[in-house]
Amino acid sequence: AITTELASHLIEVLESKAPFRWRGEGSKALQFEQAYAKHIGVKYAIGVTSGTTALYTAMAGLGIGPGDEVILPAWTWFADYDAVVLSGALPVFVEIDDSLAIDPGEIEPKITPRTKAIVPSHLQGGVADMDPILEIARKHKLLVVEDCAQCCGGKYKGKFVGSIGDMGINSFQLSKTITSGEGGAVTTSNPELFERAVRFHDVGSIRSPYKGGLLAACASCNFRMSEFTGAVLKGQLQKLDTITSRLRANAKKVRDGIADLPKLKMRKMADPVGDLGVTVFLDHGALPRMAAYHAERHQCLQPAAY
């Protein structure tokens, strides 16, 4: 809902006559970035135009490019592999488990000398099992990008998703936990990954109050968040904890209400407390072999193409 407070943020942008985001500390987009970073417990957040451009910006932040491979869950939103392909790299699909998130036990066999990153998805409010994923990533010196587009406000062992891996991405499209119609964010606590990502999203530049110096200007895009989007998200962020607490309470009522039904099997949850509760899944049989399905559909992306 458009509250009076949210409307006041939008009116401030209109009256400023400066919808372009770079207008110093008064920038609504900057204020949202700072507030969101503080809220989830990271050093940096970058406001962008969508979850898809957030993924593309994260790939640039990690330096993903031709010859690299990126491991993805075989069941996820297609923007995950779109961003990898647009970066010139190869998506490598790994099976999901009964949580409907990437199966940590299936990751290591898919790692090759070309593997550079893992992108676990916290899909439909469910939280991926991050501890074993991070253990594998550290063992093989891989980077981890959390796709939190469908799990804004979700937690894993007390930490907000998007603050656990090397980078995280969010979407604020209409169907997400908080929304500005469109919009996204990239999160990290690594200053080098941040600088590369912030330059990539803003035509190679880095502007006040952000400071660079670790990297030179680079080939880049324009994915800047507008002041109107930042104003809406600044207002929405204040409601995030209320929204997530209600989602979890409603999901618990459903789970408790059907718990005594015979032969009922619930989706496995890596963290039942941190699970966002957007959906309640029932397991009605064996999961399809999603990786094989995607491999068949994407034969043109096999390593031999290099």
Side-chain angles (χ1 to χ4, degrees):
I2 303 296
T3 63
T4 301
E5 185 175 3
L6 193 156
S8 70
H9 291 310
L10 288 167
I11 290 169
E12 285 178 31
V13 175
L14 284 169
E15 291 179 344
S16 74
K17 300 179 181 179
F20 178 70
R21 70 151 292 169
W22 295 108
R23 57 187 187 97
E25 295 292 342
S27 164
K28 296 295 184 182
L30 174 63
Q31 290 168 8
F32 165 70
E33 289 173 340
Q34 293 172 335
Y36 189 63
K38 182 179 180 180
H39 187 89
I40 71 168
V42 295
K43 290 182 178 179
Y44 311 105
I46 305 168
V48 294
T49 54
S50 70
T52 300
T53 58
L55 282 161
Y56 198 12
T57 299
M59 293 296 107
L62 299 181
I64 301 295
D68 294 329
E69 293 178 359
V70 178
I71 288 176
L72 309 170
W75 186 59
T76 187
W77 186 247
F78 58 80
D80 283 322
Y81 54 83
D82 281 350
V84 175
V85 172
L86 288 169
S87 300
L90 180 73
V92 176
F93 299 108
V94 169
E95 287 296 345
I96 57 174
D97 60 20
D98 288 346
S99 70
L100 306 183
I102 193 168
D103 186 344
E106 299 274 353
I107 292 175
E108 282 199 277
K110 298 297 182 74
I111 294 173
T112 75
R114 292 188 293 266
T115 307
K116 194 164 184 177
I118 304 171
V119 183
S121 291
H122 306 296
L123 203 63
Q124 292 185 300
V127 180
D129 195 0
M130 293 301 297
D131 279 351
I133 294 170
L134 289 172
E135 183 178 351
I136 292 167
R138 302 304 175 240
K139 175 182 175 182
H140 294 276
K141 298 181 179 179
L142 304 176
L143 296 160
V144 175
V145 178
E146 299 175 75
D147 180 350
C148 315
Q150 298 183 14
C151 199
C152 180
K155 289 185 176 181
Y156 178 80
K157 298 187 176 179
K159 293 183 177 181
F160 278 106
V161 295
S163 71
I164 303 165
D166 298 285
M167 301 188 87
I169 73 96
N170 278 106
S171 169
F172 305 116
Q173 182 264 351
L174 186 61
S175 64
K176 305 306 191 293
T177 318
I178 57 175
T179 180
S180 49
E182 294 288 356
V186 180
T187 56
T188 186
S189 289
N190 183 304
E192 184 173 336
L193 299 183
F194 166 75
E195 183 173 341
R196 189 179 292 115
V198 79
R199 286 185 183 277
F200 179 79
H201 104 293
D202 186 21
V203 294
S205 63
I206 184 164
R207 312 189 198 213
S208 178
Y210 298 128
K211 297 178 181 178
L214 298 174
L215 304 164
C218 55
S220 54
C221 296
N222 173 9
F223 296 148
R224 292 185 300 263
M225 177 177 285
S226 79
E227 285 293 274
F228 291 113
T229 302
V232 173
L233 288 171
K234 182 182 179 184
Q236 287 272 295
L237 181 58
Q238 296 170 343
K239 303 190 295 181
L240 179 58
D241 287 343
T242 300
I243 292 169
T244 55
S245 64
R246 288 177 179 174
L247 282 169
R248 291 184 174 109
N250 290 339
K252 185 177 185 303
K253 287 181 182 178
V254 174
R255 289 195 296 267
D256 290 348
I258 62 176
D260 60 348
L261 293 178
K263 298 182 180 180
L264 185 68
K265 183 179 179 182
M266 306 291 287
R267 172 179 62 90
K268 183 176 77 173
M269 290 186 283
D271 185 339
V273 175
D275 190 287
L276 198 56
V278 173
T279 50
V280 175
F281 285 95
L282 307 179
D283 184 356
H284 59 83
L287 291 169
R289 300 301 289 175
M290 299 298 294
Y293 169 75
H294 281 296
E296 182 178 347
R297 290 190 66 201
H298 297 276
Q299 291 179 13
C300 61
L301 299 177
Q302 296 304 308
Y306 293 121

